[in-house]
């Protein structure tokens, strides 16, 4: 869900974030500094966004070319919402690009893990339909909302790093982006309510999770909190959005969300922190220019690389130890067998981490 789900996280999961949380995380086009909170006002006729121009804006404008190099970019990258995308004039393709479809799979996988951990998922038409609807809520709707929102609030950074993105290039209007954000948010929350009714919940657990995840997405990207300004807090919030929240939604849909699962998945979100750091490497120039303290900016690229590796590998080893202590040695052994190639092939570690999540989910279901 969002975050989880920038946003932004998934370079590691499957090179999800070629483009930053840029890939589908931001919101509009008028320029204003990162530290200036835009005023939102809702009238009977329309929602408008106003922001004061600052010296920072002028600096960004002067450094940002209006479009990508002629003939550059891939149409496939454009549809996925990742870096190196071709410029597009079709508004529906641009809208899809803003939602960064490349970031949806981790959320979908999180729902799968949660359903598996519940121990109550069955391969029948009803359960499959429920899980697919939960995946749509977590991926296209709420992750799409998160990514579009993030693109708006990161437009100054994008103007430096990726000036050909839809918002800094002016390919989509302010009102069109606003409408997309609201439609995706309300659509995701509406689906969450439907799932609670379908599951027969007395307490709308899935709706509360969707609402909490949406709020986390907002404070991750938007002033005054803008969690992404702090590399530690922002990346952990991102990891939780991509690992914990969809897992919780899947498990709550088919079973009961227990305190031990909440703690275990939050621990796994430390691995998500490491994955989120991967996405920060491509934005170092823009982060420095606008004063964002990502971990590569704060510690340097070399140190940040080892923080990333350590967060992922140590988390997996800790979970393996937990499973061993819980009397599940075979699952612990399976997890360790995935950690070894993960350590050896760090550049291609994401498949082993993903499978490790499923191993852990299956272990907790028994």
């Amino acid at each position: 869900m969002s975050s989880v789900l920038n946003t932004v996280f998934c370079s590691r999961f499957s090179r999800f974030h070629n483009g930053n949380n840029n890939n589908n995380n931001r919101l509009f086009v008028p320029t204003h500094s990162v530290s200036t909170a835009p005023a939102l006002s809702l009238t009977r006729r329309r929602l408008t966004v106003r922001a004061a121009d600052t010296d920072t804006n002028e600096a960004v404008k002067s450094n940002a070319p209006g479009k990508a190099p002629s003939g550059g970019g891939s149409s496939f990258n454009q549809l996925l919402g990742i870096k190196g995308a071709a410029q597009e004039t079709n508004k529906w393709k641009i809208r899809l690009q803003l939602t960064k479809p490349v970031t949806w799979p981790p959320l979908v996988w999180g729902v799968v893990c949660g359903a598996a951990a519940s121990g109550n998922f069955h391969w029948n038409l009803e359960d499959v339909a429920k899980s697919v609807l939960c995946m749509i809520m977590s991926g296209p709707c709420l992750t799409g909302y998160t990514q579009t929102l993030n693109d708006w609030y990161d437009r100054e950074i994008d103007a430096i790093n990726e000036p050909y993105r839809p918002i800094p290039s002016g390919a989509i209007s302010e009102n069109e982006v606003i409408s997309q954000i609201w439609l995706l948010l309300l659509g995701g929350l509406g689906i969450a309510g439907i799932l609670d009714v379908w599951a027969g919940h007395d307490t709308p657990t899935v709706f509360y999770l969707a609402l909490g995840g949406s709020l986390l997405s907002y404070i991750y990207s938007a002033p005054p909190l803008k969690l992404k300004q702090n590399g530690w807090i922002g990346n952990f919030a991102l990891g939780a959005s991509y690992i914990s929240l969809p897992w919780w939604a899947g498990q709550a849909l088919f079973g009961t969300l227990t305190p031990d699962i909440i703690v275990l998945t939050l621990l796994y979100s430390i691995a998500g922190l490491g994955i989120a750091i991967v996405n920060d490497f491509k934005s170092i120039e823009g982060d420095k220019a606008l004063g964002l303290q990502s971990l590569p900016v704060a510690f340097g690229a070399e140190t940040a690389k080892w923080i990333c590796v350590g967060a992922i590998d140590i988390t997996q080893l800790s979970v393996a130890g937990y499973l061993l202590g819980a009397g599940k040695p075979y699952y612990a052994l399976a997890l360790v067998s995935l950690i070894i190639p993960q350590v050896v092939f760090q550049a291609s570690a994401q498949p082993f981490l993903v499978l490790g999540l499923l191993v852990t989910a299956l272990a907790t279901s028994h």
Side-chain angles (χ1 to χ4, degrees):
M1 284 160 129
S2 167
S3 230
V4 218
L5 188 227
N6 228 49
T7 271
V8 199
F9 138 21
C10 310
S11 271
R12 227 109 189 262
F13 256 144
S14 60
R15 304 220 198 272
F16 287 116
H17 278 205
N18 271 2
N20 62 26
N21 276 356
N22 268 337
N23 299 349
N24 27 353
N25 296 0
R26 318 249 133 145
L27 236 124
F28 318 138
V29 175
T31 56
H32 56 269
S33 76
V34 171
S35 60
T36 303
L40 291 175
S41 64
L42 181 62
T43 68
R44 287 193 335 195
R45 300 178 108 174
R46 65 177 195 157
L47 180 68
T48 61
V49 176
R50 299 186 301 277
D53 285 333
T54 67
D55 293 338
T56 301
N57 295 332
E58 297 304 320
V60 170
K61 289 177 189 174
S62 65
N63 288 322
K67 56 186 177 181
S70 177
S74 161
S75 296
F76 183 68
N77 287 9
Q78 189 274 330
L79 292 176
L80 291 180
I82 59 180
K83 199 167 185 175
Q87 286 191 296
E88 182 58 67
T89 57
N90 182 294
K91 280 296 170 66
W92 290 107
K93 289 183 178 180
I94 291 171
R95 288 183 180 278
L96 181 64
Q97 181 181 0
L98 284 174
T99 66
K100 294 189 181 75
V102 76
T103 63
W104 301 350
L107 285 295
V108 170
W109 188 257
V111 173
V112 170
C113 290
S118 73
N120 293 320
F121 176 84
H122 301 93
W123 286 101
N124 56 48
L125 182 60
E126 182 178 9
D127 282 3
V128 169
K130 283 181 185 176
S131 63
V132 169
L133 192 58
C134 191
M135 291 171 187
I136 292 172
M137 173 196 73
S138 300
C141 289
L142 293 182
T143 304
Y145 150 78
T146 298
Q147 299 292 349
T148 308
L149 185 74
N150 189 62
D151 259 22
W152 168 242
Y153 285 109
D154 274 6
R155 59 196 177 278
E156 289 91 359
I157 296 175
D158 290 347
I160 297 172
N161 295 318
E162 298 177 83
Y164 49 84
R165 292 283 304 165
I167 293 173
S169 70
I172 188 168
S173 72
E174 171 184 315
N175 286 339
E176 287 170 327
V177 180
I178 292 174
S179 66
Q180 175 161 318
I181 289 167
W182 281 106
L183 284 172
L184 291 172
L185 173 61
L186 295 177
L189 294 177
I191 291 174
I194 291 170
L195 288 172
D196 279 316
V197 173
W198 197 350
H201 291 163
D202 294 327
T203 301
T205 310
V206 178
F207 177 82
Y208 287 155
L209 289 171
L211 187 62
S214 301
L215 177 61
L216 180 61
S217 297
Y218 180 79
I219 65 174
Y220 173 82
S221 297
L225 293 179
K226 201 172 179 72
L227 299 181
K228 67 181 299 177
Q229 292 182 110
N230 182 294
W232 294 108
I233 297 173
N235 284 348
F236 182 77
L238 197 59
S241 297
Y242 277 84
I243 293 178
S244 298
L245 283 171
W247 180 316
W248 296 349
Q251 183 153 353
L253 182 60
F254 293 102
T256 302
L257 193 57
T258 57
D260 60 321
I261 289 295
I262 292 174
V263 171
L264 181 62
T265 51
L266 286 175
L267 175 62
Y268 245 124
S269 296
I270 297 174
L273 179 153
I275 292 169
I277 295 172
V278 176
N279 190 59
D280 292 334
F281 286 106
K282 65 173 176 48
S283 304
I284 292 176
E285 181 185 352
D287 290 347
K288 283 182 178 178
L290 294 176
L292 297 184
Q293 289 298 302
S294 67
L295 295 182
V297 170
F299 294 99
E302 187 66 19
T303 300
K305 178 185 74 175
W306 289 108
I307 294 173
C308 172
V309 170
I312 296 170
D313 295 338
I314 292 172
T315 297
Q316 288 271 65
L317 286 169
S318 299
V319 172
Y322 166 81
L323 294 179
L324 184 62
K328 299 174 181 179
Y330 296 113
Y331 287 104
L333 181 61
L335 191 56
V336 169
S337 69
L338 291 169
I339 295 171
I340 293 172
Q342 177 180 293
V343 172
V344 174
F345 305 108
Q346 283 295 337
S348 303
Q350 63 272 18
F352 306 108
L353 175 61
V354 167
L355 291 174
L357 283 168
L358 184 59
V359 168
T360 303
L362 292 171
T364 61
S365 70
H366 294 82

